[in-house]
Amino acid sequence: MSQVVFIATLNVAKGREEDFERLQTELSGISHEKEPGLLVYDVIRHSEEGNKYIVYARFADQAAFEFHQEADFHHRLVPPILDCVEGEMDLQFFGHIA
């Protein structure tokens, strides 16, 4: 089974950065606590473009990714996270090499 990796690039609406960071911090914490198949869930902010963020997540396998997508806390937190986003999210999937 191969690991599932996604990288999401998001531009957060001006003035919504604090909400976005609070919600993402909560999602990351709960995900790490309740998802044994989650290997990494990082949220980083661009050093010069303060409203540009990257979310990097790596799951042990497809089943772990699907568990994350279907978790009750995911359904509760993702809609308000997306409400903070301006424009389209760039979501890309990768296979883990090393």
Side-chain angles (χ1 to χ4, degrees), residues 10-29:
L10 309 103
N11 292 307
V12 172
K14 300 273 189 224
R16 299 296 312 273
E17 298 91 349
E18 187 176 313
D19 292 335
F20 178 82
E21 290 181 17
R22 177 182 48 78
L23 292 162
Q24 281 286 13
T25 298
E26 183 177 354
L27 179 59
S28 178

Side-chain angles (χ1 to χ4, degrees), residues 16-89:
R16 299 296 312 273
E17 298 91 349
E18 187 176 313
D19 292 335
F20 178 82
E21 290 181 17
R22 177 182 48 78
L23 292 162
Q24 281 286 13
T25 298
E26 183 177 354
L27 179 59
S28 178
I30 294 171
S31 296
H32 279 288
E33 179 184 318
K34 297 190 181 267
E35 298 180 40
L38 175 67
L39 305 173
V40 177
Y41 190 100
D42 286 339
V43 181
I44 56 176
R45 181 175 26 175
H46 194 280
S47 59
E48 295 176 9
E49 298 176 44
N51 70 323
K52 186 175 194 174
Y53 293 81
I54 300 287
V55 177
Y56 172 85
R58 187 159 47 100
F59 301 88
D61 54 26
Q62 184 65 32
F65 172 68
E66 290 172 9
F67 180 85
H68 174 76
Q69 292 293 104
E70 295 303 320
D72 61 340
F73 53 86
H74 184 273
H75 288 295
R76 177 176 60 84
L77 291 167
V78 169
I81 287 171
L82 294 178
D83 284 344
C84 296
V85 174
E86 184 173 72
E88 293 294 316
M89 169 178 51

Side-chain angles (χ1 to χ4, degrees), residues 4-8 57 59 62 65 69 91-95:
V4 174
V5 178
F6 76 76
I7 298 174
F59 301 88
Q62 184 65 32
F65 172 68
Q69 292 293 104
L91 178 62
Q92 298 183 41
F93 288 87
F94 297 84

